[in-house]
Amino acid sequence: MTDRIVIEGIRPSTPNGYPAKAVVGRATAVSADVFRDGHDVLAARVRWRSRGNGKGKWSTALMRPLGNDRYQAVIEPAELGAHEFQVEAWTDRIASWRHEITVKLTAGQDVELELEEGALLLEDALSRAERADRARIETAVASLRNAQASAESRLSGALDPALMALLDELPDPSDLTRSAPSPLWVDRERAAVGAWYELFPRSYASPEQGKMGLAGATDRLPAVANMGFDVVYIPPVHPIGRSFRKGRNNSLDPAPDDPGSPWAIGAVEGGHLALHPELGSFSDFDAFVARTRTLGMEVALDYALQCSPEHPWVTEHPEWFHHRPDGTIKYAENPPKKYQDIYPLNMWPADPGDRQALWQACKEILDFWIGHGIRIFRVDNPHTKPFSFWEWVIHEVQAANPEIIFFAEAFTRPKLMARLAEGGFSQNYTYFTWRNTKAELTEYLTEIALGPKADYMRPNFWPNTPDILSGILRGGGPGAFRLRLVLAACMTPSYGIYSGYELCENQPMSDTNEEYFESEKYEIKDRDFSQPGSLVPFVARINDIRRRHPAFSDLGNIAFHHSNNDQILCWSKVDAAADDVMLMVVNLDPHNTHEDTLGLDLPALGFEWHESLEAFDELTGMTFMWTGANPYVRLDPGLPAHVLHLRRPGRGGTVT
Amino acid sequence: MTDRIVIEGIRPSTPNGYPAKAVVGRATAVSADVFRDGHDVLAARVRWRSRGNGKGKWSTALMRPLGNDRYQAVIEPAELGAHEFQVEAWTDRIASWRHEITVKLTAGQDVELELEEGALLLEDALSRAERADRARIETAVASLRNAQASAESRLSGALDPALMALLDELPDPSDLTRSAPSPLWVDRERAAVGAWYELFPRSYASPEQGKMGLAGATDRLPAVANMGFDVVYIPPVHPIGRSFRKGRNNSLDPAPDDPGSPWAIGAVEGGHLALHPELGSFSDFDAFVARTRTLGMEVALDYALQCSPEHPWVTEHPEWFHHRPDGTIKYAENPPKKYQDIYPLNMWPADPGDRQALWQACKEILDFWIGHGIRIFRVDNPHTKPFSFWEWVIHEVQAANPEIIFFAEAFTRPKLMARLAEGGFSQNYTYFTWRNTKAELTEYLTEIALGPKADYMRPNFWPNTPDILSGILRGGGPGAFRLRLVLAACMTPSYGIYSGYELCENQPMSDTNEEYFESEKYEIKDRDFSQPGSLVPFVARINDIRRRHPAFSDLGNIAFHHSNNDQILCWSKVDAAADDVMLMVVNLDPHNTHEDTLGLDLPALGFEWHESLEAFDELTGMTFMWTGANPYVRLDPGLPAHVLHLRRPGRGGTVT
């Protein structure tokens, strides 16, 4: 015979029982379906604890009914790392009795027996109550049995609200039921919220001042910090192979001074544990990391498990590579394309000992760079390595360093992306880069922010990357760049841009190739960030708005609002606890002005249907006075967005 | 280290790992997400076996890719009872190689090494191939290594389609991965498909001919069979309590000859194992069951676990009831309503021995009536008894008698209904009775027929029951009754009506009470089924159409088609294997004629977008010639439905 109470549909959860994800010190809603046969009132609570160093103490939170047999509580894990939670439920016999006797009394029925039933229930609760609470319970029992008084007064003498609240939280052991433990991984905030900026350090070398790439890039950091970024992501910093090196524009015939792709890792100077000599020394690297931290940012380092033909592993560990019948090592291919400058690792050698040695060596790379202050790894192409490798290595690393963040660069099929997230990646690149229309964006955000994947998969939106210049950015003007920035930065808590975005670099490799013309992957770029018309102030403003408005720190608080015009997209982000209501309106058409009358769901925003609102545009500093749910908007493609702070008139607000 | 291949999202399944449901001899689609890292081609198959008397032999079926990493196969269990299935997947190295070499050859690249790689792969397959197939593999290997011939001819000599098909089904043991076994319960067809008719046998007594209820009802059976029904459902046939007996119209002061509600079970004559004396003897009962079977139908008996105050259990087993502080037994209540004629059973007595004895006694009731030929139980209010009781008793009964069907009368909250289905009920009553508008019906069918619950919960649609006269049937005319009948009968494979429906009985108890005026629950009804204007011929026609068209035997094959008019609902049911395409169009407004131009999804129906169709109306025998996806329809409230057999002109069809 199993339990009588059913607890199911627990969230947060993942499809295969891996840990769901939360952020330390931030509210996480835990919910479940809780029911039993019949009509008795149930009570439910969640209890949770850290599983970090030994098992922590359980904390509990009473769950409240949401309707349709679903219950929810909000928990706030206080530590990093592994946690577990359970949903507990029991039949609340006292609440059931309270409901029954109240209805009967109202209907004028005799309740003598019910009063005694209540007294018996309270007596039963006596034994499990705290000693300090027993006197109040005994008083309630006495009131119920006070045959001199009226039924109403006997009952009201017992229904002391404080006593009832106390009893609500007292589990009844007679049918207390517990769900199996649910694992929960608690990250630091940066795993969920952050503005990222990608730069190639080698492009910032200043030979005339004797500065190597990393030293030059260190000088660039204050400007990045001034734009309001939280994370500086740098491509691989290791020696670059020379054989089959790619030249400018991915050509097969490099000039002697072409630097090669940073992802062709390994040369005579070393492999994944070495620094490219032209980037500088380890003290330059450590200085770069330290300066980033001083500026309130941190470095994300690329983690790309692949080798150039000169990588030391190729000769030291040929068993870690794929071999062909003629004894050669298999280079990377996507037939008919060939990538002779890259040897993929064979992450699943037939010999388990080889596999173990290789995986351990891969983990040592992470440990090494953690030793140099790295706390975030941007992982290149994780979907071409086994899921079980990632599960293992992330678990191993985070068990020792729960603050380490892994960011999956898997631009691949949806189920592989979700599985990487489920297996432990802290966040994922997404399809945002290719979602352009109102329908596409609405559907995609609904899926990733409001669907079950949001329990464990954290999107990080990038309008561009060194590999991808797509959609309206191809040949687009500043308006297009502003538009995609507002979309990325104001839809999800994590977003990033690759440097050059703020200069509206817009020339693709070709009509059919998404890479950049004269891509920085294959050559040094010398940019003039002070050029007039750059988007630097706009980027800084967006990041400043994100920091000042807590509504942007949550993923699941997005809601779309009606617009009649297919080029006008309108969404809100609300942090009810912080009373922060943000409404974004964008014109998706980079070429034409559009206008519309919106259809706002005002109650969802915390307002009455016919209330007057102040809509303060954080982008322009203008204030619109709106009454009702149907404000008129008009957006020019040059400044194609409103980022509106909605507030009651006279309340003031955060004006820059 | 876990497996490299991921198999997840397996369907059919239930949320908590209970058996999904299938029907013997009918196709069941098994699907799963199957993927691994990288870009290799995967192969997958499902294997299944009976777990009935000992474990059966595994059968297998190759799964085909549906896109988005989902694979599907169709299996057809050949036996009743418990089964299990597993999804197996492996990297299809030969298919991956085939793809790679073909692309390279097309691009004019040198493939000498690839030819040898293929030869090695085929040699590896040799060891696991059937002896009879080895010679063809060896021939292929020789062709690949025939250095005299061109690469094209060496390859084409190896890519013999029959050999490739053979290799496709040959699992590669080097990474063969298996999902955990998924349980599957296989029912007989009636668990999923059937037309039900409910009648109160006592209303068919013919004292002047010396006939008791059951004998008279036996005479009524041919008429029920002639209407095309499959199941005759009868309310409890046990002695009825006399204390607090309800009179006509649920009154508290019964006349001496008022028969009482059949659900007030138990009297001095006996309890759940006894027959009400006025219904006849057990030989009458057995004759009723036998006659039903002779007519191609079967009997569903009510199983209501509750007792009148005179039930023998009340004195024999007071520990099976709820007691109050004054020692009395607690009668049923829904405060402030009191049901003094019913004692609920306490299905969870504190003493486990008492619980076991009670549950066993409840099971013995089922065994007893199974001994009298009953194979279907319609279970009254199962949601007020513990889920674990149902799981236990259904499992026990079906382990011995896998043909027994349990039909849950749980008009309760959605999660309880689903849990009853998940725990073992063969089918469920639904909310159909209260779903009236186009939006309500579309949403509800989408949920229950196309959502994940369809894997284990089988709806049975009832336009009316003895307790429920709702919606447009209240005071409605024959058109309303035709309409609700077409909806129930042509949307789901199982549906039923309570007798009197065909006479358009339409008088509710009151404006606010859904029961019938002069409900048959409290009095004997004498009906004239030969009255002019009865819907008997219409009901017979509907059931005949259902039987002739296999499309009506499936639940998940429903699709809705566009209509502009909110009162016009259009849906199709397609059995592609049987080439059976049915299209239903109904006018939901019982008062006005409506017309519309439909928007059919012709490809989903198996036609071209601009094809000419013959739409044969099974209700009227009329044929409409349609061209394209936008036929015009016009429906009068008197005959508010088309039930159209769509076919290519000149193909003929099943015309009555």
Side-chain angles (χ1 to χ4, degrees):
Chain A
M1 295 184 189
T2 58
D3 286 328
R4 186 165 194 175
I5 297 175
V6 176
I7 302 173
E8 62 180 28
I10 295 169
R11 286 189 68 180
S13 65
T14 85
N16 301 292
Y18 289 84
K21 299 199 175 87
V23 169
V24 69
R26 277 183 50 185
T28 294
V30 173
S31 58
D33 295 333
V34 178
F35 55 89
R36 52 160 279 182
D37 56 293
H39 305 284
D40 283 320
V41 178
L42 292 183
R45 68 179 188 184
V46 56
R47 63 175 198 163
W48 76 97
R49 64 176 174 181
S50 163
R51 301 201 51 183
N53 303 311
K55 292 184 179 181
K57 203 168 158 297
W58 288 108
S59 303
T60 62
L62 199 67
M63 302 176 87
R64 61 184 181 84
L66 299 178
N68 195 18
D69 293 309
R70 195 144 187 93
Y71 290 72
Q72 180 175 293
V74 169
I75 69 173
E76 210 173 280
E79 291 173 51
L80 286 182
H83 284 64
E84 63 185 347
F85 67 90
Q86 292 180 289
V87 173
E88 300 181 316
W90 61 93
T91 305
D92 191 338
R93 293 184 293 160
I94 294 172
S96 304
W97 163 79
R98 226 152 64 204
H99 170 75
E100 184 183 339
I101 194 170
T102 307
V103 170
K104 286 181 176 174
L105 205 55
T106 308
Q109 297 179 3
D110 175 66
V111 294
E112 192 60 37
L113 271 176
E114 285 75 8
L115 289 166
E116 177 56 22
E117 283 169 338
L120 291 170
L121 286 172
L122 289 176
E123 280 183 341
D124 183 59
L126 252 185
S127 61
R128 38 185 215 278
E130 302 283 330
R131 185 177 299 270
D133 298 322
R134 292 197 191 146
R136 329 168 80 124
I137 298 180
E138 279 160 356
T139 306
V141 171
S143 170
L144 289 170
R145 288 189 174 141
N146 174 11
Q148 312 307 315
S150 71
E152 284 78 1
S153 113
R154 289 162 71 182
L155 184 61
S156 69
L159 294 187
D160 165 19
L163 174 62
M164 292 300 122
L166 181 159
L167 293 171
D168 280 347
E169 302 223 22
L170 207 59
D172 186 332
S174 63
D175 67 352
L176 178 68
T177 306
R178 234 173 235 151
S179 66
S182 296
L184 184 72
W185 179 263
V186 179
D187 281 306
R188 63 193 173 99
E189 192 196 21
R190 193 60 66 231
V193 187
W196 291 51
Y197 186 81
E198 175 174 1
L199 62 81
F200 284 62
R202 69 187 182 188
S203 283
Y204 301 87
S206 177
E208 63 278 12
Q209 296 178 18
K211 292 204 173 170
M212 316 286 274
L214 281 163
T218 303
D219 289 348
R220 167 76 182 141
L221 291 172
V224 177
N226 283 339
M227 280 191 284
F229 287 100
D230 303 301
V231 180
V232 178
Y233 154 49
I234 54 174
V237 290
H238 318 299
I240 295 170
R242 288 170 186 83
S243 49
F244 301 102
R245 177 177 283 191
K246 296 295 174 69
R248 294 184 167 225
N249 283 318
N250 201 15
S251 71
L252 295 173
D253 50 341
D257 60 343
D258 278 352
S261 163
W263 284 273
I265 295 171
V268 64
E269 297 88 351
H272 285 81
L273 305 187
L275 265 184
H276 194 299
E278 291 178 16
L279 285 177
S281 65
F282 273 101
S283 64
D284 292 324
F285 184 86
D286 296 341
F288 180 82
V289 171
R291 181 83 172 114
T292 312
R293 196 164 302 157
T294 307
L295 289 163
M297 305 187 292
E298 60 182 309
V299 176
L301 185 65
D302 204 293
Y303 182 60
L305 290 177
Q306 57 195 24
C307 298
S308 92
E310 296 134 70
H311 193 289
W313 286 359
V314 175
T315 44
E316 290 166 14
H317 292 287
E319 71 279 12
W320 292 352
F321 297 88
H322 299 277
H323 296 268
R324 308 204 61 189
D326 65 350
T328 58
I329 291 181
K330 195 171 164 65
Y331 49 78
E333 290 184 278
N334 183 13
K337 289 190 199 161
K338 305 178 178 205
Y339 306 95
Q340 292 101 327
D341 57 335
I342 304 280
Y343 286 174
L345 286 159
N346 175 9
M347 295 295 291
W348 205 276
D351 181 327
D354 290 343
R355 189 153 81 221
Q356 202 172 351
L358 169 58
W359 290 19
Q360 196 61 45
C362 291
K363 173 177 180 294
E364 278 161 16
I365 299 170
L366 296 167
D367 290 336
F368 179 86
W369 292 102
I370 289 170
H372 280 279
I374 297 299
R375 295 287 176 273
I376 306 181
F377 293 95
R378 177 273 197 192
V379 179
D380 194 70
N381 274 327
H383 56 290
T384 59
K385 288 93 195 171
F387 300 106
S388 27
F389 166 71
W390 296 117
E391 291 166 27
W392 172 79
V393 78
I394 293 174
H395 180 268
E396 289 288 307
V397 168
Q398 288 189 333
N401 298 288
E403 75 279 17
I404 304 299
I405 292 170
F406 290 88
F407 175 27
E409 188 246 9
F411 287 109
T412 182
R413 290 125 59 207
K415 291 183 182 154
L416 279 70
M417 288 168 69
R419 181 69 182 208
L420 289 165
E422 188 183 6
F425 275 93
S426 322
Q427 49 180 265
N428 285 60
Y429 279 84
T430 70
Y431 302 142
F432 167 73
T433 321
W434 302 283
R435 296 293 179 273
N436 294 294
T437 67
K438 181 173 167 177
E440 286 169 358
L441 287 162
T442 306
E443 185 189 9
Y444 191 52
L445 267 295
T446 301
E447 176 196 333
I448 62 172
L450 305 176
K453 274 194 275 197
D455 286 0
Y456 57 94
M457 182 165 166
R458 300 192 185 107
N460 190 331
F461 277 9
W462 288 69
N464 73 329
T465 78
D467 292 312
I468 311 173
L469 177 68
S470 73
I472 60 174
L473 301 182
R474 297 164 68 84
F481 281 76
R482 287 190 189 99
L483 167 60
R484 296 292 296 177
L485 185 78
V486 169
L487 289 172
C490 299
M491 291 186 126
T492 57
S494 293
Y495 92 103
I497 57 172
Y498 153 59
S499 50
Y501 192 94
E502 67 270 45
L503 302 181
C504 304
E505 292 176 358
N506 65 4
Q507 194 177 353
M509 186 64 194
S510 76
D511 280 355
T512 55
N513 188 331
E514 289 208 317
E515 298 211 23
Y516 281 87
F517 177 67
E518 296 179 346
S519 167
E520 196 169 7
K521 285 168 68 181
Y522 311 108
E523 64 188 86
I524 306 292
K525 300 296 272 191
D526 185 17
R527 297 188 175 91
D528 175 9
F529 289 102
S530 67
Q531 66 185 255
S534 96
L535 298 191
V536 170
F538 188 80
V539 171
R541 174 158 285 246
I542 289 287
N543 285 333
D544 178 58
I545 296 169
R546 279 172 46 95
R547 281 192 181 159
R548 282 189 290 102
H549 288 284
F552 291 115
S553 295
D554 189 23
L555 175 64
N557 64 346
I558 194 167
F560 290 93
H561 297 262
H562 182 74
S563 62
N564 306 287
N565 185 326
D566 221 32
Q567 298 293 344
I568 298 278
L569 181 65
C570 176
W571 74 96
S572 62
K573 305 274 286 183
V574 176
D575 182 334
D579 195 18
D580 188 33
V581 181
M582 299 301 297
L583 186 80
M584 278 56 67
V585 192
V586 300
N587 168 6
L588 296 170
D589 178 355
H591 306 297
N592 302 291
T593 297
H594 283 271
E595 56 184 7
D596 197 15
T597 302
L598 304 175
L600 303 181
D601 183 352
L602 287 179
L605 297 172
F607 299 103
E608 310 286 328
W609 274 116
H610 296 289
E611 200 167 344
S612 289
L613 304 179
E614 205 174 275
F616 172 73
D617 192 339
E618 289 276 13
L619 292 180
T620 60
M622 287 174 68
T623 298
F624 308 97
M625 295 306 301
W626 287 354
T627 299
N630 306 107
Y632 166 84
V633 293
R634 183 173 190 281
L635 287 159
D636 179 277
L639 181 54
H642 290 307
V643 175
L644 300 163
H645 182 202
L646 299 191
R647 54 207 189 195
R648 297 198 156 78
R651 284 273 316 284
T654 324
V655 183
T656 48
Chain B
M1 296 182 188
T2 58
D3 286 326
R4 186 164 194 177
I5 297 175
V6 176
I7 302 173
E8 63 180 28
I10 296 170
R11 287 190 66 180
S13 65
T14 85
N16 301 293
Y18 290 83
K21 298 197 176 89
V23 169
V24 69
R26 276 180 52 181
T28 295
V30 173
S31 58
D33 295 334
V34 179
F35 54 89
R36 52 160 280 182
D37 56 294
H39 305 284
D40 283 319
V41 178
L42 293 183
R45 69 179 187 184
V46 57
R47 64 175 195 164
W48 75 98
R49 65 176 174 181
S50 162
R51 300 201 53 182
N53 304 310
K55 292 184 179 181
K57 204 170 156 298
W58 289 108
S59 303
T60 62
L62 199 67
M63 302 176 87
R64 65 185 178 82
L66 299 178
N68 194 17
D69 294 309
R70 193 143 188 95
Y71 290 73
Q72 179 174 294
V74 169
I75 69 172
E76 209 173 282
E79 291 172 51
L80 286 180
H83 284 64
E84 62 185 347
F85 67 91
Q86 292 179 290
V87 173
E88 300 182 316
W90 61 94
T91 305
D92 192 338
R93 292 184 294 160
I94 295 172
S96 303
W97 163 79
R98 228 153 62 203
H99 171 76
E100 181 182 343
I101 193 170
T102 306
V103 170
K104 288 181 174 174
L105 205 55
T106 307
Q109 296 179 0
D110 175 65
V111 295
E112 193 60 38
L113 271 176
E114 285 76 7
L115 289 165
E116 177 57 22
E117 283 170 339
L120 291 170
L121 285 171
L122 289 176
E123 280 182 342
D124 182 59
L126 252 186
S127 61
R128 38 186 216 276
E130 302 283 328
R131 188 177 297 272
D133 298 322
R134 292 194 191 149
R136 353 168 60 130
I137 298 179
E138 279 160 357
T139 306
V141 170
S143 171
L144 290 169
R145 287 186 174 144
N146 175 12
Q148 312 307 317
S150 71
E152 284 80 2
S153 114
R154 289 162 71 181
L155 184 60
S156 68
L159 294 185
D160 165 20
L163 174 62
M164 291 301 122
L166 181 159
L167 293 171
D168 280 347
E169 304 225 19
L170 208 59
D172 187 332
S174 64
D175 67 353
L176 179 68
T177 306
R178 238 174 232 148
S179 65
S182 296
L184 184 71
W185 179 261
V186 179
D187 281 305
R188 62 191 174 100
E189 193 196 20
R190 194 61 66 230
V193 187
W196 292 50
Y197 187 80
E198 175 174 1
L199 62 81
F200 284 61
R202 69 186 183 189
S203 284
Y204 299 89
S206 176
E208 61 280 14
Q209 295 176 21
K211 291 203 173 171
M212 316 287 273
L214 282 162
T218 304
D219 288 349
R220 167 77 182 144
L221 291 172
V224 177
N226 283 339
M227 279 191 284
F229 287 101
D230 302 302
V231 179
V232 178
Y233 154 49
I234 54 175
V237 290
H238 318 299
I240 295 171
R242 286 171 187 84
S243 48
F244 300 101
R245 176 177 284 191
K246 297 294 173 71
R248 294 186 166 225
N249 283 318
N250 202 15
S251 69
L252 295 173
D253 49 342
D257 61 343
D258 278 352
S261 162
W263 283 274
I265 295 171
V268 62
E269 297 87 351
H272 286 79
L273 305 186
L275 265 183
H276 194 298
E278 290 176 18
L279 285 176
S281 65
F282 273 102
S283 65
D284 291 324
F285 184 85
D286 295 343
F288 179 83
V289 171
R291 182 82 170 117
T292 313
R293 197 164 301 156
T294 307
L295 290 164
M297 305 186 293
E298 59 181 308
V299 176
L301 185 65
D302 204 293
Y303 182 59
L305 291 177
Q306 56 194 26
C307 298
S308 90
E310 294 135 72
H311 193 290
W313 285 0
V314 175
T315 44
E316 291 165 15
H317 292 287
E319 71 278 12
W320 291 351
F321 297 88
H322 299 278
H323 296 268
R324 309 203 63 188
D326 65 351
T328 58
I329 292 180
K330 194 170 163 65
Y331 49 79
E333 291 184 279
N334 183 14
K337 289 192 200 161
K338 305 180 178 206
Y339 305 95
Q340 292 100 328
D341 58 335
I342 304 279
Y343 285 173
L345 285 159
N346 176 8
M347 295 296 290
W348 206 276
D351 181 326
D354 290 342
R355 189 152 84 220
Q356 201 171 355
L358 169 59
W359 289 21
Q360 196 62 45
C362 292
K363 175 178 179 293
E364 278 162 18
I365 299 171
L366 297 167
D367 290 337
F368 178 85
W369 293 103
I370 290 168
H372 279 279
I374 296 301
R375 294 287 175 277
I376 306 181
F377 293 94
R378 177 272 197 193
V379 179
D380 194 70
N381 274 329
H383 55 292
T384 58
K385 289 94 196 172
F387 299 106
S388 27
F389 167 70
W390 295 117
E391 292 167 26
W392 173 80
V393 77
I394 293 174
H395 181 269
E396 289 288 307
V397 168
Q398 289 188 334
N401 300 287
E403 74 279 18
I404 305 298
I405 292 170
F406 290 88
F407 175 26
E409 189 247 9
F411 287 110
T412 181
R413 288 123 62 202
K415 290 178 183 158
L416 279 69
M417 289 169 68
R419 181 68 182 208
L420 289 165
E422 189 183 7
F425 275 94
S426 321
Q427 48 181 266
N428 285 58
Y429 279 83
T430 69
Y431 303 141
F432 166 73
T433 320
W434 302 283
R435 294 295 177 272
N436 294 294
T437 67
K438 182 173 167 177
E440 286 169 357
L441 288 162
T442 306
E443 185 189 9
Y444 190 53
L445 267 295
T446 301
E447 176 196 334
I448 62 171
L450 305 176
K453 275 193 275 195
D455 286 0
Y456 58 94
M457 181 164 165
R458 300 191 185 108
N460 190 332
F461 277 9
W462 289 69
N464 73 329
T465 78
D467 292 312
I468 311 173
L469 176 69
S470 72
I472 60 173
L473 301 182
R474 296 165 68 86
F481 281 76
R482 287 191 189 97
L483 167 60
R484 295 293 296 177
L485 185 77
V486 169
L487 290 172
C490 298
M491 290 186 127
T492 58
S494 293
Y495 92 102
I497 57 172
Y498 153 58
S499 50
Y501 191 94
E502 66 270 47
L503 302 181
C504 306
E505 291 176 357
N506 65 4
Q507 194 176 352
M509 185 65 192
S510 76
D511 281 355
T512 55
N513 187 331
E514 288 209 317
E515 297 210 26
Y516 280 88
F517 177 66
E518 296 180 346
S519 166
E520 198 170 4
K521 285 167 68 182
Y522 310 108
E523 64 188 88
I524 307 293
K525 301 295 272 191
D526 186 16
R527 295 186 177 92
D528 175 9
F529 289 101
S530 67
Q531 67 184 252
S534 96
L535 298 190
V536 170
F538 188 80
V539 172
R541 176 157 283 246
I542 289 287
N543 284 333
D544 179 58
I545 297 168
R546 279 172 47 95
R547 281 192 180 160
R548 283 187 292 101
H549 288 284
F552 291 114
S553 296
D554 190 23
L555 174 64
N557 65 346
I558 195 167
F560 290 93
H561 298 263
H562 181 75
S563 62
N564 306 287
N565 185 324
D566 222 32
Q567 297 292 344
I568 299 279
L569 181 66
C570 176
W571 73 97
S572 61
K573 305 275 286 184
V574 176
D575 181 333
D579 196 18
D580 189 33
V581 181
M582 300 302 298
L583 186 81
M584 276 56 67
V585 191
V586 300
N587 169 5
L588 295 171
D589 177 354
H591 305 298
N592 301 292
T593 297
H594 282 272
E595 57 185 5
D596 197 15
T597 302
L598 304 176
L600 303 181
D601 183 351
L602 287 178
L605 296 172
F607 299 103
E608 309 285 329
W609 274 116
H610 296 289
E611 201 168 344
S612 290
L613 303 179
E614 206 175 277
F616 172 73
D617 192 339
E618 288 277 12
L619 291 180
T620 61
M622 287 174 68
T623 299
F624 308 97
M625 296 305 302
W626 287 354
T627 299
N630 306 108
Y632 166 83
V633 292
R634 182 175 191 279
L635 287 160
D636 179 278
L639 180 54
H642 290 308
V643 176
L644 301 163
H645 182 202
L646 298 192
R647 53 207 191 198
R648 296 197 158 78
R651 283 273 317 285
T654 324
V655 185
T656 47

